[in-house]
Amino acid sequence: MRAGRAVIGERVRIGPGTVIVTDDLVLGDGAVVGGGCDLRSSRLELGPGAQVGDGSRWLVADRARLGAGTVVDAGAEVTCREFLAGDGTYVGPRLRVGAGASMEEGSVITIGDRCQIAPDVLINPTEPVVIGDEVGISAQVAIWTHGYHAGHPVRDGHAAAFAGVEVASGAWLGFRVTLLPGVRVGEGTIVAATATVTRSLPAVVLAAGVPAKVRRHLEPAAMSAEQRGEAVDVLVGGWLQRLLFKGLAVEPGPRPARWTVSQDASRWQVALHAGDGSGPGVVEVTGGERTAVFDFAEPLAVRGVLDDLGHDLRDHCRRATWLFPYSGNSRGMVPERFARLLG
């Protein structure tokens, strides 16, 4: 480690074989840097509980920052001027930030809060790339901020493009979507798999094709309190069934909508409390003296501290598009039939 100034919190872990070169290092409580990393930045800042996966290689001239609980998984290769990610975001393995002209003045990546970014995403940051809050980016998406070929010069009438890209909050980019320089994807818009976006898209539409065109406007309608309650019943029932698959024991309690969940020496009480007609109710997960409460009314909220089972429920809810805010990312408990092969 070579750091001009270092502020390192409690329970920080840095894996073997990792190199950190920075003028200004800030590692919040519980931050994790995996093994075999090479992280270089004038200012390197990991918020509380933030994680950098094994084998990551970052060369970020001015500032690299991950917010609280944000994870950039293994094998990320990042070269740019600034790389900034908000709180509670997850970036899958093998992120690639670079792919040409990534040491330019405008090479700035800004990612918002609570985004979900799948593996093998490529971002070319010749110009700024801005990704809003709660954006979903599927696997193998490519975002380009420049396009040219020396064999097709502008002096012969060909075009060259250099322009930033923006993905507004709540947008969803499907598998292998390509965004070309200068486009903006509007808030809440869905871009279907394999589409190529050559022109900006408005908010709250479904776009598809090459080039991408608006196919229809989205008209979401919020559930009623009764419908939300029914959806929560189905959600919790599905979660309990998944716990059985994972090797946990689930036994009905003495009263309806209560269960005892156990695994080895660990034991929890789960209770689903129905709403009063104005809301869908809450789920309580109690392990020992610790209780976490999931409130399914708007806005979604978690009260208390999550343990392993609480994180499993939060991850199950996320997969069902109920995104509960919390200080870090949640991952489900590993099914026993997989875990025994990893031990």
Side-chain angles (χ1 to χ4, degrees):
M1 180 184 294
R2 190 178 77 202
R5 170 182 175 270
V7 177
I8 300 178
E10 299 179 351
R11 306 180 309 281
V12 169
R13 291 188 287 121
I14 299 175
T18 282
V19 173
I20 295 177
V21 177
T22 181
D23 301 320
D24 196 356
L25 177 66
V26 178
L27 301 179
D29 294 345
V32 175
V33 179
C37 295
D38 190 318
L39 307 181
R40 301 170 188 259
S41 180
S42 294
R43 178 177 175 84
L44 177 61
E45 181 180 352
L46 304 185
Q51 299 181 34
V52 178
D54 295 345
S56 295
R57 303 181 66 84
W58 297 11
L59 178 60
V60 183
D62 292 349
R63 186 183 182 199
R65 178 188 182 275
L66 302 185
T70 285
V71 175
V72 177
D73 222 324
E77 296 185 10
V78 177
T79 303
C80 59
R81 181 180 175 183
E82 291 189 1
F83 180 69
L84 311 172
D87 297 341
T89 282
Y90 174 77
V91 181
R94 300 175 299 279
L95 170 71
R96 187 179 180 191
V97 173
S102 55
M103 295 185 182
E104 304 295 319
E105 180 180 3
S107 60
V108 175
I109 310 293
T110 304
I111 302 172
D113 300 334
R114 299 178 301 281
C115 294
Q116 296 288 317
I117 300 177
D120 299 308
V121 166
L122 182 151
I123 301 175
N124 159 252
T126 301
E127 301 293 334
V129 173
V130 178
I131 297 170
D133 298 332
E134 298 183 356
V135 169
I137 299 181
S138 302
Q140 300 183 28
V141 164
I143 299 175
W144 296 96
T145 63
H146 83 256
Y148 67 89
H149 179 240
H152 296 78
V154 293
R155 64 183 183 275
D156 289 344
H158 298 286
F162 294 86
V165 169
E166 180 181 358
V167 182
S169 295
W172 176 17
L173 308 181
F175 175 68
R176 282 188 179 169
V177 162
T178 299
L179 304 186
L180 295 187
V183 303
R184 181 182 190 274
V185 177
E187 186 171 355
T189 280
I190 298 172
V191 184
T194 72
T196 298
V197 181
T198 61
R199 297 180 182 275
S200 293
L201 297 171
V204 200
V205 299
L206 171 66
V210 181
K213 296 181 180 179
V214 173
R215 305 299 182 179
R216 62 183 174 89
H217 290 268
L218 302 176
E219 298 179 353
M223 291 180 175
S224 67
E226 181 179 0
Q227 290 171 326
R228 287 173 72 95
E230 293 172 353
V232 172
D233 289 346
V234 172
L235 182 72
V236 173
W239 175 57
L240 295 171
Q241 284 295 121
R242 182 158 292 182
L243 292 181
L244 291 172
F245 167 77
K246 291 183 175 184
L248 287 78
V250 178
E251 301 175 2
R255 286 186 286 172
R258 292 176 182 268
W259 302 266
T260 297
V261 177
S262 57
Q263 183 183 53
D264 300 326
S266 299
R267 191 178 184 88
W268 298 268
Q269 301 298 319
V270 176
L272 170 59
H273 300 285
D276 58 3
S278 60
V282 301
V283 174
E284 293 182 354
V285 178
T286 302
E289 298 180 355
R290 178 184 295 175
T291 297
V293 178
F294 290 74
D295 189 340
F296 285 83
E298 290 292 346
L300 300 177
V302 176
R303 298 186 292 274
V305 179
L306 301 184
D307 60 9
D308 288 347
L309 193 68
H311 277 292
D312 192 272
L313 174 56
R314 179 170 176 251
D315 187 63
H316 182 81
C317 290
R318 175 187 65 82
R319 291 172 178 272
T321 72
W322 298 75
L323 188 61
F324 280 88
Y326 194 67
S327 58
N329 277 276
S330 292
R331 295 197 180 188
M333 301 171 73
V334 178
E336 189 278 334
R337 63 192 69 197
F338 287 91
R340 70 179 184 83
L341 301 173
L342 299 171

